[in-house]
Amino acid sequence: MNRKMNVNKSEIYERCFKEITRKIEGLDINDKMNMICEILKEKIPYYFWIGFYFPKSGFLELGPSRGPPACVRIATTGVCGKAAKERRPVIVPDVKAFPGHIVCDPRSKSEIALPVFDSKGDIIAILDVDSEELGSFDETDQKWLEKILHCAFSDHERNSAIFDE
Ligand code: SME
């Protein structure tokens, strides 16, 4: 368990999940993403940065986020790119040990990235979360973030105004 984390992760995520489902009802994709970032960044003590990256042709572009300024365009060679290419969550306990990791802020030490799927199973975005401590993310984070993303976006379809692929 993380130094800043003296309460049960699942309890915090459960509260966040309830708040998110209540507050995103009827919102569009961007507003939902903003609300998810807002609530999770505010409520989860080890979240240093959270944001969504949209897949473009050959790179990823920053969407809604909270935390210190991050890279606006990133290559698909890092953690987010791996989550997109392999269509699965990627947990990185130590970013220095991940070949290809893209440094946006040197304070980030561990990371989780998850694909966001739409109703057809296409990838809408990648959700990326960074922590200032090593080993912050585990299967509990993955399970709850997948649940939040599924609840928020699985009834949407990719919007061609946002995506240029
Ligand atoms: N570390 C990510 C880049 C995004 S930032 O962490 C905000 C990566 O390797 O894809």
Side-chain angles (χ1 to χ4, degrees):
M1 188 68 65
N2 182 286
R3 177 162 59 80
K4 290 183 189 166
M5 193 71 196
N6 47 17
V7 232
N8 185 292
K9 268 188 183 188
S10 287
E11 282 175 24
I12 301 189
Y13 273 114
E14 187 158 9
R15 282 202 295 273
C16 289
F17 178 74
K18 284 182 181 152
E19 184 177 354
I20 288 168
T21 48
R22 205 171 56 243
K23 291 190 173 160
I24 61 171
E25 210 187 324
L27 300 183
D28 66 20
I29 289 181
N30 261 284
D31 289 344
K32 283 183 178 179
M33 289 178 173
N34 264 306
M35 185 58 72
I36 289 168
C37 291
E38 186 89 0
I39 292 169
L40 294 177
K41 176 74 176 72
E42 171 76 15
K43 301 282 163 64
I44 303 189
Y46 54 93
Y47 275 36
F48 173 64
W49 184 89
I50 175 170
F52 289 88
Y53 280 96
F54 294 121
K56 302 285 177 176
S57 310
F59 63 96
L60 297 167
E61 187 169 86
L62 185 61
S65 67
R66 290 294 182 284
C71 315
V72 172
R73 279 184 174 207
I74 55 172
T76 56
T77 49
V79 181
C80 295
K82 186 178 171 79
K85 284 177 198 159
E86 298 186 2
R87 296 174 53 84
R88 64 174 182 88
V90 177
I91 294 174
V92 181
D94 179 358
V95 297
K96 287 210 169 83
F98 184 96
H101 170 259
I102 297 165
V103 180
C104 293
D105 189 308
R107 289 171 291 180
S108 290
K109 301 243 179 0
S110 59
E111 181 165 355
I112 184 171
L114 307 96
V116 182
F117 298 109
D118 73 0
S119 57
K120 294 180 181 164
D122 289 330
I123 293 180
I124 297 180
I126 300 299
L127 174 63
D128 186 36
V129 190
D130 290 0
S131 165
E132 279 188 285
E133 295 181 32
L134 292 168
S136 286
F137 304 102
D138 57 24
E139 320 73 56
T140 304
D141 299 271
Q142 179 181 326
K143 184 190 85 178
W144 280 100
L145 290 172
E146 285 180 316
K147 188 169 165 157
I148 290 165
L149 295 174
H150 183 264
C151 168
F153 303 109
S154 64
D155 58 347
H156 282 277
E157 273 189 33
R158 273 167 58 118
N159 173 355
S160 56
I162 303 179
F163 307 99
D164 67 357
E165 281 184 310

